Amino acid sequence: MTDMLGYRLKVGAVVPSTNTSAQPELDAMRPVGVTNHIGRMVINDDSMEDEPGFDHVMHSIRNSTHPAIRSVVSCSPDCVIIGVSPESYWDGPDSHARVLESMRSAADGLPVIMSPDAIKAALTALDARRIGVITPYLPLGDDSVSRFFKDSGYDVVSIQGLGMPSPAKISHVTEAQLRDAVREVDSADVEAIVQVGTNVPMMRFATAAETWLGKPVISNNAVLYWHALRSSGIEDRLHGFGTLLAHH
């Protein structure tokens, strides 16, 4: 027997409790017969303006991720999206492999979709190696993200942080700030622009930016959902959400 509504696929997704962007963006991309089921990592809206504050947010995320995964696994999804980025990037590619295995264990062995794997699959599909990167962070977080991509074999041509001071305030970013960030990281050498941070509401803006840049702009929530769908055998071409979902 299958769910009446999620008869093709049930997607679990866990996000920080401060995150107000991931759920509506994931739901906007949902094909017919696919359902999304959200679990929340309970954290406080602590400052990320210095290293102790950033480390405290990271500690809170680590402590709350597994309970959030277990809460969503109880509805028997087919895969689980981990909708948080810093945990993946902070200690490099080798650390990511250990984090991913830990998430899979908490998900009772279900397929787990994380940002680094989704972005890698997207850049492979797009045949892009030279990237411009947008983060929600201050330079402290930018450095970790840049190092992660470089250690993973990508040429980070440029990186720009939005400078948001706390997890909840990431969703307060304006379209003007997103536009300025895209312009800052773009150049003739950049083959694709990658945005990390699932509380950045960038999916629609990224789609529009592709039309005037003439190159892929990968938003974090769109690439997570694209990878979840494609890894689960859902090949629907969805328009209005960027080149990945429309053409790959």
Short mmCIF file of all heavy atoms in Angstrom, two decimals, residues 35-63:
data_model
loop_
_atom_site.label_atom_id
_atom_site.label_comp_id
_atom_site.label_asym_id
_atom_site.label_seq_id
_atom_site.Cartn_x
_atom_site.Cartn_y
_atom_site.Cartn_z
N THR A 35 5.05 14.06 -1.93
CA THR A 35 4.73 14.83 -0.73
C THR A 35 5.99 15.09 0.08
O THR A 35 6.94 14.30 0.05
CB THR A 35 3.70 14.11 0.15
OG1 THR A 35 4.14 12.77 0.42
CG2 THR A 35 2.33 14.06 -0.54
N ASN A 36 6.00 16.22 0.78
CA ASN A 36 7.12 16.62 1.63
C ASN A 36 6.70 16.57 3.09
O ASN A 36 5.58 16.95 3.43
CB ASN A 36 7.56 18.05 1.29
CG ASN A 36 7.98 18.21 -0.16
OD1 ASN A 36 8.46 17.27 -0.78
ND2 ASN A 36 7.79 19.40 -0.70
N HIS A 37 7.62 16.16 3.94
CA HIS A 37 7.32 15.97 5.37
C HIS A 37 8.48 16.53 6.18
O HIS A 37 9.60 16.05 6.09
CB HIS A 37 7.08 14.49 5.65
CG HIS A 37 6.08 13.90 4.70
ND1 HIS A 37 4.74 14.04 4.86
CD2 HIS A 37 6.26 13.23 3.52
CE1 HIS A 37 4.10 13.48 3.85
NE2 HIS A 37 5.01 12.98 3.02
N ILE A 38 8.19 17.57 6.96
CA ILE A 38 9.22 18.40 7.57
C ILE A 38 9.42 18.06 9.05
O ILE A 38 8.45 17.96 9.81
CB ILE A 38 8.88 19.90 7.45
CG1 ILE A 38 8.60 20.28 5.99
CG2 ILE A 38 10.00 20.77 8.02
CD1 ILE A 38 9.77 20.13 5.05
N GLY A 39 10.68 17.89 9.44
CA GLY A 39 11.06 17.80 10.86
C GLY A 39 11.95 18.98 11.19
O GLY A 39 12.64 19.52 10.32
N ARG A 40 11.92 19.42 12.43
CA ARG A 40 12.67 20.64 12.79
C ARG A 40 13.71 20.36 13.87
O ARG A 40 13.43 19.70 14.87
CB ARG A 40 11.71 21.74 13.25
CG ARG A 40 10.88 22.25 12.08
CD ARG A 40 10.17 23.56 12.37
NE ARG A 40 9.66 24.11 11.11
CZ ARG A 40 10.26 25.01 10.38
NH1 ARG A 40 11.43 25.52 10.77
NH2 ARG A 40 9.73 25.44 9.25
N MET A 41 14.93 20.87 13.61
CA MET A 41 16.01 20.85 14.59
C MET A 41 15.81 22.05 15.50
O MET A 41 15.93 23.19 15.05
CB MET A 41 17.37 20.97 13.89
CG MET A 41 17.57 20.10 12.69
SD MET A 41 19.02 20.66 11.75
CE MET A 41 18.80 19.75 10.22
N VAL A 42 15.55 21.82 16.73
CA VAL A 42 15.24 22.93 17.65
C VAL A 42 16.54 23.62 18.07
O VAL A 42 17.39 23.02 18.75
CB VAL A 42 14.47 22.43 18.88
CG1 VAL A 42 14.18 23.59 19.82
CG2 VAL A 42 13.16 21.77 18.44
N ILE A 43 16.69 24.88 17.62
CA ILE A 43 17.85 25.69 17.99
C ILE A 43 17.37 27.09 18.33
O ILE A 43 16.25 27.48 17.99
CB ILE A 43 18.91 25.75 16.87
CG1 ILE A 43 18.38 26.54 15.66
CG2 ILE A 43 19.35 24.35 16.46
CD1 ILE A 43 19.45 26.86 14.63
N ASN A 44 18.23 27.86 18.99
CA ASN A 44 17.94 29.26 19.27
C ASN A 44 18.51 30.14 18.16
O ASN A 44 19.41 29.74 17.42
CB ASN A 44 18.54 29.67 20.61
CG ASN A 44 17.89 28.96 21.77
OD1 ASN A 44 16.68 28.73 21.79
ND2 ASN A 44 18.71 28.57 22.75
N ASP A 45 18.00 31.35 18.09
CA ASP A 45 18.48 32.30 17.08
C ASP A 45 19.70 33.05 17.62
O ASP A 45 19.67 34.26 17.85
CB ASP A 45 17.36 33.27 16.71
CG ASP A 45 17.74 34.15 15.52
OD1 ASP A 45 18.50 33.66 14.66
OD2 ASP A 45 17.27 35.31 15.46
N ASP A 46 20.78 32.30 17.81
CA ASP A 46 21.99 32.87 18.42
C ASP A 46 22.83 33.61 17.38
O ASP A 46 22.79 33.32 16.19
CB ASP A 46 22.82 31.75 19.06
CG ASP A 46 22.10 31.09 20.23
OD1 ASP A 46 21.46 31.82 21.01
OD2 ASP A 46 22.15 29.86 20.33
N SER A 47 23.64 34.52 17.86
CA SER A 47 24.51 35.31 16.99
C SER A 47 25.56 34.43 16.32
O SER A 47 26.11 33.51 16.94
CB SER A 47 25.20 36.41 17.79
OG SER A 47 26.19 37.05 16.99
N MET A 48 25.84 34.74 15.04
CA MET A 48 26.92 34.08 14.32
C MET A 48 28.00 35.08 13.92
O MET A 48 28.76 34.87 12.98
CB MET A 48 26.38 33.40 13.05
CG MET A 48 25.32 32.36 13.30
SD MET A 48 24.88 31.41 11.81
CE MET A 48 24.31 32.72 10.71
N GLU A 49 28.09 36.18 14.67
CA GLU A 49 28.98 37.26 14.29
C GLU A 49 30.43 37.06 14.72
O GLU A 49 31.31 37.80 14.30
CB GLU A 49 28.45 38.58 14.84
CG GLU A 49 27.12 38.97 14.23
CD GLU A 49 26.63 40.31 14.71
OE1 GLU A 49 26.03 40.38 15.80
OE2 GLU A 49 26.86 41.30 13.98
N ASP A 50 30.68 36.06 15.58
CA ASP A 50 32.06 35.75 15.95
C ASP A 50 32.20 34.24 16.06
O ASP A 50 31.21 33.50 15.99
CB ASP A 50 32.46 36.45 17.26
CG ASP A 50 31.51 36.14 18.41
OD1 ASP A 50 30.91 35.04 18.43
OD2 ASP A 50 31.37 37.00 19.30
N GLU A 51 33.43 33.76 16.21
CA GLU A 51 33.67 32.32 16.19
C GLU A 51 32.97 31.59 17.33
O GLU A 51 32.36 30.53 17.10
CB GLU A 51 35.17 32.02 16.20
CG GLU A 51 35.48 30.55 16.00
CD GLU A 51 36.94 30.30 15.67
OE1 GLU A 51 37.70 31.28 15.51
OE2 GLU A 51 37.32 29.12 15.57
N PRO A 52 33.00 32.10 18.58
CA PRO A 52 32.26 31.39 19.64
C PRO A 52 30.77 31.28 19.34
O PRO A 52 30.15 30.24 19.60
CB PRO A 52 32.53 32.25 20.88
CG PRO A 52 33.83 32.94 20.60
CD PRO A 52 33.81 33.22 19.13
N GLY A 53 30.18 32.36 18.81
CA GLY A 53 28.77 32.31 18.47
C GLY A 53 28.47 31.32 17.37
O GLY A 53 27.51 30.54 17.46
N PHE A 54 29.30 31.33 16.33
CA PHE A 54 29.11 30.39 15.22
C PHE A 54 29.26 28.95 15.73
O PHE A 54 28.47 28.07 15.38
CB PHE A 54 30.12 30.67 14.12
CG PHE A 54 29.69 30.19 12.76
CD1 PHE A 54 29.26 31.08 11.80
CD2 PHE A 54 29.73 28.85 12.43
CE1 PHE A 54 28.87 30.66 10.53
CE2 PHE A 54 29.33 28.40 11.18
CZ PHE A 54 28.90 29.31 10.22
N ASP A 55 30.27 28.72 16.56
CA ASP A 55 30.48 27.38 17.12
C ASP A 55 29.29 26.95 17.96
O ASP A 55 28.91 25.76 17.96
CB ASP A 55 31.76 27.35 17.96
CG ASP A 55 33.02 27.40 17.12
OD1 ASP A 55 32.93 27.17 15.90
OD2 ASP A 55 34.09 27.68 17.69
N HIS A 56 28.68 27.88 18.69
CA HIS A 56 27.52 27.54 19.52
C HIS A 56 26.34 27.13 18.64
O HIS A 56 25.62 26.16 18.96
CB HIS A 56 27.13 28.72 20.41
CG HIS A 56 25.98 28.43 21.31
ND1 HIS A 56 26.08 27.57 22.39
CD2 HIS A 56 24.70 28.89 21.31
CE1 HIS A 56 24.92 27.50 23.01
NE2 HIS A 56 24.06 28.29 22.36
N VAL A 57 26.13 27.86 17.54
CA VAL A 57 25.06 27.48 16.62
C VAL A 57 25.33 26.09 16.04
O VAL A 57 24.43 25.25 15.96
CB VAL A 57 24.93 28.52 15.48
CG1 VAL A 57 23.98 28.02 14.39
CG2 VAL A 57 24.42 29.85 16.04
N MET A 58 26.58 25.84 15.66
CA MET A 58 26.94 24.52 15.14
C MET A 58 26.68 23.42 16.16
O MET A 58 26.17 22.35 15.83
CB MET A 58 28.42 24.52 14.73
CG MET A 58 28.72 25.36 13.51
SD MET A 58 28.02 24.62 12.03
CE MET A 58 28.91 23.08 11.99
N HIS A 59 27.03 23.68 17.41
CA HIS A 59 26.81 22.70 18.48
C HIS A 59 25.32 22.41 18.64
O HIS A 59 24.91 21.24 18.80
CB HIS A 59 27.41 23.22 19.79
CG HIS A 59 27.28 22.28 20.94
ND1 HIS A 59 28.00 21.11 21.05
CD2 HIS A 59 26.47 22.34 22.05
CE1 HIS A 59 27.67 20.49 22.16
NE2 HIS A 59 26.75 21.21 22.78
N SER A 60 24.51 23.45 18.58
CA SER A 60 23.06 23.28 18.71
C SER A 60 22.50 22.45 17.56
O SER A 60 21.64 21.58 17.76
CB SER A 60 22.36 24.65 18.75
OG SER A 60 22.77 25.39 19.88
N ILE A 61 23.00 22.71 16.36
CA ILE A 61 22.54 21.95 15.20
C ILE A 61 22.92 20.48 15.34
O ILE A 61 22.11 19.58 15.10
CB ILE A 61 23.13 22.55 13.91
CG1 ILE A 61 22.45 23.89 13.60
CG2 ILE A 61 22.96 21.59 12.72
CD1 ILE A 61 23.09 24.66 12.46
N ARG A 62 24.17 20.23 15.74
CA ARG A 62 24.63 18.84 15.90
C ARG A 62 23.76 18.08 16.91
O ARG A 62 23.41 16.91 16.71
CB ARG A 62 26.09 18.81 16.33
CG ARG A 62 27.07 19.25 15.24
CD ARG A 62 28.51 19.03 15.68
NE ARG A 62 29.44 19.46 14.65
CZ ARG A 62 30.21 20.53 14.74
NH1 ARG A 62 30.15 21.31 15.82
NH2 ARG A 62 31.03 20.85 13.76
N ASN A 63 23.42 18.73 18.01
CA ASN A 63 22.63 18.08 19.06
C ASN A 63 21.19 17.81 18.66
O ASN A 63 20.55 16.91 19.19
CB ASN A 63 22.65 18.92 20.34
CG ASN A 63 23.96 18.81 21.09
OD1 ASN A 63 24.76 17.90 20.85
ND2 ASN A 63 24.21 19.75 21.99
#
